[in-house]
Amino acid sequence: MDDVLALERELQSPDARRNERRLRELLAPGFIEIGASGRRWDLETILALLAAESGDGDGSACAIGIRDLEARVLAPGIIQVLWDSDRDGCRARRTSLWQRTANGWRQTYHQGTPLP
């Protein structure tokens, strides 16, 4: 589980979020995200959104605080990660599903729910 928690942290880092090659290594081809806004995105849409997000050049827009990071095994080769995010005062409760593949751990699903 420690490896998956480290990958979750990496995925939220500005360096990973602006590196399409690394994102394609971390996110499964069938990746789906339900954002804190309630919108649903697929892998290609997320890659485009993250490319636009990092377009400001300094990466500061990507800074995401992580709190209460924890994980649990749901089934062999499937880990759920739970944590709270804080990005410029916008907080959300988040969950991700990671699956062990022949190419290592890959995130298949992510969801964020706004916190007051």
Side-chain angles (χ1 to χ4, degrees):
M1 278 198 279
D2 290 339
D3 291 341
V4 171
L5 291 174
L7 291 171
E8 184 75 49
R9 282 187 195 96
E10 178 187 356
L11 190 54
Q12 305 314 315
S13 74
D15 288 341
R17 294 171 72 83
R18 63 178 163 243
N19 183 336
E20 182 178 339
R21 182 192 58 76
R22 184 61 177 145
L23 289 170
R24 287 187 184 277
E25 293 170 356
L26 294 170
L27 302 175
F31 174 81
I32 294 172
E33 177 170 338
I34 308 296
S37 66
R39 292 187 205 138
R40 177 181 166 155
W41 295 296
D42 62 12
L43 176 62
E44 296 304 320
T45 305
I46 285 295
L47 292 174
L49 288 169
L50 290 174
E53 174 183 277
S54 65
D56 64 7
D58 69 2
S60 62
C62 298
I64 298 172
I66 297 173
R67 285 194 2 238
D68 301 327
L69 186 67
E70 62 182 271
R72 65 184 183 150
V73 175
L74 295 181
I78 304 287
I79 293 179
Q80 180 183 31
V81 176
L82 302 123
W83 55 285
D84 291 347
S85 67
D86 187 337
R87 185 172 184 178
D88 294 330
C90 295
R91 298 178 334 125
R93 179 141 301 143
R94 301 195 173 269
T95 187
S96 303
L97 296 178
W98 290 81
Q99 181 177 16
R100 185 184 317 221
T101 71
N103 296 320
W105 288 99
R106 297 181 98 176
Q107 191 175 101
T108 61
Y109 178 81
H110 182 79
Q111 182 166 351
T113 303
L115 287 170

